[in-house]
Amino acid sequence: MSERSIAVAFEKARAEERALLVGCMPAGFPTVERSIAAMTAMVESGVDVIELEIPYSDPVMDGPVIQRASDIALAGGVRVADALRVVEAVTATGAPVVIMTYWNPIEQYGVDAFARDLAAAGGTGLITPDLIPEEAAEWLAASDAYGLDRTFLVAPSSTDERLAMTVAHCRGFVYATALMGVTGARERTSEAAPILVGRVREVTDLPVGVGLGVSTGAQAAEVGRYADGVIVGSALVRTVLDAPDEASGLAALRALSTELAEGVRAVRS
Amino acid sequence: MTAPPLTSGTAAVPDAAGHFGRYGGRFVPEALVAALDELDREYRAALADPTFQAEFDRMLREYAGTPSLLYRAERLSAEAGARILLKREDLNHTGAHKVRNVLGQALLTKRMGKPRVIAETGAGQHGVASATAAAYLDLECVVYMGELDTQRQALNVARMRMLGATVIPVTSGSRTLKDAMNEAMRDWVTNVDRTHYLIGTVAGPHPFPAMVREFVRGIGVEARQQCLELTGALPDAVAACVGGGSNALGIFHAFIDDADVRLYGFEAGGEGIETGRHASSITGGSAGVLHGTRTYVLQDADGQTQESHSISAGLDYPGVGPEHAWLNDIGRARYEPVTDAEAMSAFQLLCRTEGIIPAIESAHALAGALRIIPALTAELGREPTIVVNLSGRGDKDMHTAGRYFGLLDERQG
Ligand SMILES: Cc1ncc(COP(=O)(O)O)c(C=O)c1O
């Protein structure tokens, strides 16, 4: 395990007998500086790891909340290079930062160049929602060269064979998309999630993060009972999106982060 | 049951993972891979199944009205100085080549036991075709359409609703075709168990480019045979417009191994490549990933998709099917832009010489064909024979054409 690996954070949470809280935010939403302030507030309120999404014009895995935030960031002129600047700034707070990105921006930046610059900025690795291992030869090589984590997604529809293959290509942690569908807060968490996590555990010791749908502390506690990491996106982004001004947005973001952090610390049964 | 390997002429493309050289493949959420694998198995089995083939052929013949005519356009030919043969896909039911693809996919949907189809549409042509096939085969149909396009193409929205489809305006991103495609993908990820995504062209993740090609390649099979019967020889060139590329690939495919037949794809040049306002992904774009496949894309330096521009809504797409990217790179087909003005001039010429109002998309193919005549004549030392794919009819475009040529009696208010 490299020192930079997100697995270090997972181990720490495991030692504390709790799940890790991963909070997502698009880079440059609503501006680069304000996105850094938002992520810093999240870390100060108990979010363990920041998942930084690089805004993309065609985010097919994202629901309306993250789409809108991405559109706002892009309209503000955010560049891929800005995302690296955010990685550096947020890493300085002490929290690991993992990037979540659709593939085309990385391909255009240059896969090797991006891996080099991400490592230099202190990022842990990439979550790649539209890259499957079969198409990832260049990224496999670059992530090896720069010691970066790589997280591919598994889904309830993945066959056993594909699940084992996909997990074998992961480093750092495995991302279980527990619901068939796009990102977005949901009232109920998925019954498919624990089953999927169980299937992953049969083929790996890597930590498993569960995403899609969590919006409350109670849901975070529930997911934290069977998953190593609870990944929260839309609910956090919405606090900023819906706020009338920056100060109230940050306050709401802190409040929800705190609630979620308490959720993942609820005693495991 | 297994189908024979896929080929493009003698080249075995795509490979098993859907690659046409460096293009194609699958850039999709893992949640869709199982459905794409299922689709790949099912359509290959269907194509190898004589019952499916017979049913597809029957529907094309009895319902869609194929084989479409190959028409010797005498007056146009005299005007142009070349023998021009028009493949009359405009005479098909629903008025375009697209009916072939939707009937094939809708029939496959039935075979897979799925009750629902979804589709994306720009101008509404593919949406109307999908709604038609869904009505014909008793499937639930939901069409995603950019909000801007629903306003620009209100009549086609009504047409789809008339046919029983649900039209959902898409308000994200640029609110046009590419965003409609994103939204259809999101629907598919969520409802994949009971839904087939009826993609409207030879784009998207594997197996869509290969599968759609199989459903439309009858255009070229017919045209090749008809040209031999009509002229005793193969054409010197085949011309088609290229949006996503289905009508072009449909007519190219039967000619791939005929080395003497030149293949020309004409992209929408909009206001001109140099203005940046165009939809020529191959001529004016670069290699990238869009909508699940690697191909030529209109994009900025960060890989953000750029908006395309064309007077023709059906060509107004910032990507292109991966097989065209490959045919371009290996030099088997040539791709050139045709501007709005060139297309509209050819549009008018066909109306006046032949009494045929083409789709503005198809007018791009004709304009391109007219452009290549002098060089081709010089090269051959005789008058060339050119087959032009008249992919659709222009009824849907009369508002645009009426405004362009100042034919509408503008009233107040
Ligand atoms: C008549 C006609 N031709 C061509 C096209 C472009 O599509 P493709 O390039 O897939 O043939 C369209 C799309 O709507 C169309 O309606």
Side-chain angles (χ1 to χ4, degrees), chain A residues 12-262:
Chain A
K12 187 166 154 276
R14 204 173 261 182
E16 293 171 12
E17 299 193 330
R18 65 176 178 91
L20 183 85
L21 177 62
V22 181
C24 320
M25 199 54 70
F29 163 68
T31 66
V32 172
E33 292 316 318
R34 284 174 63 183
S35 69
I36 293 171
M39 288 176 244
T40 306
M42 285 157 69
V43 173
E44 287 168 0
S45 310
V47 172
D48 298 300
V49 170
I50 295 295
E51 178 185 320
L52 180 70
E53 180 160 346
I54 297 181
Y56 176 52
S57 52
D58 297 272
V60 294
M61 268 298 272
D62 284 309
V65 170
I66 294 182
Q67 282 174 48
R68 254 172 58 221
S70 296
D71 283 350
I72 290 168
L74 288 172
V78 69
R79 303 288 311 265
V80 173
D82 292 323
L84 291 168
R85 194 152 66 79
V86 176
V87 170
E88 207 163 354
V90 178
T91 302
T93 67
V97 180
V98 55
I99 281 194
M100 128 88 186
T101 180
Y102 292 90
W103 194 240
N104 200 41
I106 304 307
E107 195 157 295
Q108 301 311 316
Y109 192 101
V111 179
D112 191 77
F114 189 83
R116 178 197 64 210
D117 294 352
L118 177 60
T124 63
L126 295 184
I127 301 167
T128 49
D130 64 349
L131 187 72
I132 55 177
E134 290 96 322
E135 300 284 356
E138 231 184 320
W139 166 233
L140 296 180
S143 51
D144 283 347
Y146 297 99
L148 293 168
D149 290 337
R150 50 182 186 239
T151 294
F152 297 101
L153 275 48
V154 296
S157 61
S158 306
T159 59
D160 288 343
E161 201 183 348
R162 279 198 64 78
L163 188 130
M165 181 279 292
T166 302
V167 165
H169 285 93
C170 289
R171 184 162 54 216
F173 79 107
V174 179
Y175 196 134
T177 52
L179 283 152
M180 294 296 284
V182 297
T183 57
R186 287 174 176 80
E187 287 188 358
R188 293 179 39 200
T189 52
S190 153
E191 285 125 46
I195 299 169
L196 180 60
V197 171
R199 290 175 62 205
V200 175
R201 294 212 193 284
E202 276 174 29
V203 293
T204 186
D205 293 331
L206 282 176
V208 189
V210 167
L212 300 184
V214 171
S215 62
T216 66
Q219 286 176 336
E222 185 193 327
V223 172
R225 264 176 218 120
Y226 57 83
D228 303 298
V230 179
I231 304 170
V232 184
S234 296
L236 289 164
V237 174
R238 185 192 290 279
T239 59
V240 181
L241 202 56
D242 287 352
D245 55 62
E246 183 177 5
S248 57
L250 281 179
L253 184 62
R254 282 182 194 279
L256 181 58
S257 300
T258 304
E259 178 188 332
L260 294 165
E262 281 163 8

Side-chain angles (χ1 to χ4, degrees), chain B residues 4 25 99 103 157 197 211 225-226 255 274 283 300 313 335 361 390 401:
Chain B
V99 70
L103 286 179
V157 174
Y197 179 14
M211 179 182 73
Q225 176 74 20
Q226 289 165 325
F255 295 99
E274 66 289 349
T283 318
D300 69 14
Y335 297 85
E361 290 81 7
L390 208 69

